[in-house]
Amino acid sequence: FLSEAPAPGSPEIEKKPLRIFYIEDEKDFKEIIENELRKFPADIKIVTSFFSAEDAKEYLIKKREEKGELPDMIISDNDLGLGKATGMQFAKDLKKQGFAIPFVLFTSNPSNFEAVPKEDLGKMGLTRVVDKMIEIGDLVEVLKQVKPR
């Protein structure tokens, strides 16, 4: 006998993890965040990480062309190294390219964004701006708030 599929929303259906792309040019900081997030619930998963916005954008465009699976969210450092695109430029580029992926920007200078209205952040392709030195538990809460429904 074939069993019937579980009803949508039933506990028998495993929740799909929040798939995150993470862009950070500082290797040590990148590894710390990845390792810390692994300690939290399985519903948050960094699936791919990059050292540059350029590599991440190229990968996303290729995945979209192949009709591959895109991330549910992007987390990017704003300062991605001398001569490289900033995280904010990356968010703007993705928005111009038609991507509608929630984007959390890490910054060492969150006060630079305090006066920016939420709708203006959205116009820049940003969903949230957070202090790069955020406690990991607080970051998890931000990710859950930003998580696509």
Side-chain angles (χ1 to χ4, degrees), residues 122-138:
K123 289 176 188 173
M124 292 185 264
L126 300 173
T127 309
R128 288 286 291 271
V129 176
V130 297
D131 190 326
K132 189 171 181 175
M133 295 299 138
I134 190 171
E135 292 290 326
I136 199 70
D138 294 337

Side-chain angles (χ1 to χ4, degrees), residues 18 44 73 75 103-106 127-131 134-147 149:
L18 176 64
I44 296 174
M73 183 181 302
I75 301 173
F103 196 109
V104 175
L105 184 72
F106 273 166
T127 309
R128 288 286 291 271
V129 176
V130 297
D131 190 326
I134 190 171
E135 292 290 326
I136 199 70
D138 294 337
L139 176 60
V140 168
E141 288 307 310
V142 167
L143 299 180
K144 288 179 180 180
Q145 291 169 9
V146 172
K147 183 178 180 176
R149 305 288 175 228

Side-chain angles (χ1 to χ4, degrees), residues 39-142:
K39 296 175 185 176
F40 278 84
D43 60 341
I44 296 174
K45 180 181 177 192
I46 293 179
V47 292
T48 307
S49 59
F50 302 90
F51 286 106
S52 77
E54 292 82 3
D55 290 345
K57 186 167 89 173
E58 184 179 303
Y59 185 89
L60 286 167
I61 290 169
K62 181 180 176 189
K63 279 293 185 190
R64 182 171 62 184
E65 288 170 356
E66 295 172 349
K67 306 241 186 291
E69 195 168 18
L70 296 173
D72 300 311
M73 183 181 302
I74 296 171
I75 301 173
S76 178
D77 184 20
N78 191 41
D79 181 10
L80 293 172
L82 191 61
K84 296 183 179 180
T86 65
M88 190 167 66
Q89 289 168 329
F90 178 43
K92 286 179 183 178
D93 287 349
L94 291 181
K95 186 165 179 70
K96 284 180 189 174
Q97 297 260 343
F99 287 95
I101 302 168
F103 196 109
V104 175
L105 184 72
F106 273 166
T107 180
S108 299
N109 301 305
S111 59
N112 293 347
F113 294 89
E114 287 175 358
V116 180
K118 265 190 171 175
E119 63 266 4
D120 289 348
L121 287 177
K123 289 176 188 173
M124 292 185 264
L126 300 173
T127 309
R128 288 286 291 271
V129 176
V130 297
D131 190 326
K132 189 171 181 175
M133 295 299 138
I134 190 171
E135 292 290 326
I136 199 70
D138 294 337
L139 176 60
V140 168
E141 288 307 310
V142 167

Side-chain angles (χ1 to χ4, degrees), residues 4-14:
E4 291 186 33
S10 80
E12 297 171 40
I13 295 180
E14 205 174 307

